Amino acid sequence: QVQLVESGGGLVQAGGSLRLSCAASGSIFSINTMGWYCQAPGKPRELVARITKSGVRNYADSVKGRFTVSRDNAKNTVYLQMNSLKPDDTAVYYCYAIIPNVEGTEYHYWGQGTQVTVSS
């Protein structure tokens, strides 16, 4: 069984920074794409950033230039460095990972979510 455990959320003033971490554990042979989604109250979950195993990154337009996604493959961990935070960034942030089993079938796994609140 695979688990994703997040940390690093909290309350910060506008303009501040936070760093989220998400560590995957369990029966893992390799991890393909890892990334982060967010969900604000009353809104659908949406992609924030993702990074492939080879290091290719994609970002939502709203966070480009402010957020940086990275990963440590040796630690099965993905990070999200969030700078110049805005009140509109307030949401629950979920990490995810696409992990293949030994047969090569890919499964999507999700973290439990961590609250990020940005005050004005």
Side-chain angles (χ1 to χ4, degrees):
Q1 188 70 355
V2 173
Q3 282 190 319
L4 302 183
V5 178
E6 301 157 354
S7 60
L11 173 64
V12 65
Q13 287 189 332
S17 298
L18 284 174
R19 188 189 194 213
L20 306 183
S21 300
C22 173
S25 63
S27 299
I28 299 171
F29 301 96
S30 68
I31 303 179
N32 294 338
T33 299
M34 303 183 80
W36 298 88
Y37 277 71
C38 71
Q39 187 167 21
K43 293 186 178 181
R45 192 174 297 189
E46 57 185 20
L47 178 69
V48 176
R50 61 187 173 194
I51 180 169
T52 67
K53 189 176 182 179
S54 60
V56 177
R57 297 171 170 85
N58 297 105
Y59 295 95
D61 288 343
S62 61
V63 306
K64 285 181 180 176
R66 300 188 299 123
F67 291 9
T68 301
V69 63
S70 60
R71 63 189 283 174
D72 185 332
N73 291 329
K75 295 181 179 180
N76 290 335
T77 300
V78 63
Y79 305 95
L80 185 67
Q81 179 66 44
M82 311 165 68
N83 297 329
S84 302
L85 282 161
K86 305 175 181 179
D88 283 350
D89 296 321
T90 296
V92 177
Y93 284 72
Y94 298 89
C95 74
Y96 80 100
I98 301 175
I99 301 174
N101 62 10
V102 289
E103 288 83 18
T105 302
E106 292 184 331
Y107 293 89
H108 288 67
Y109 294 91
W110 293 88
Q112 79 281 4
T114 185
Q115 177 69 46
V116 171
T117 302
V118 184
S119 63
S120 58

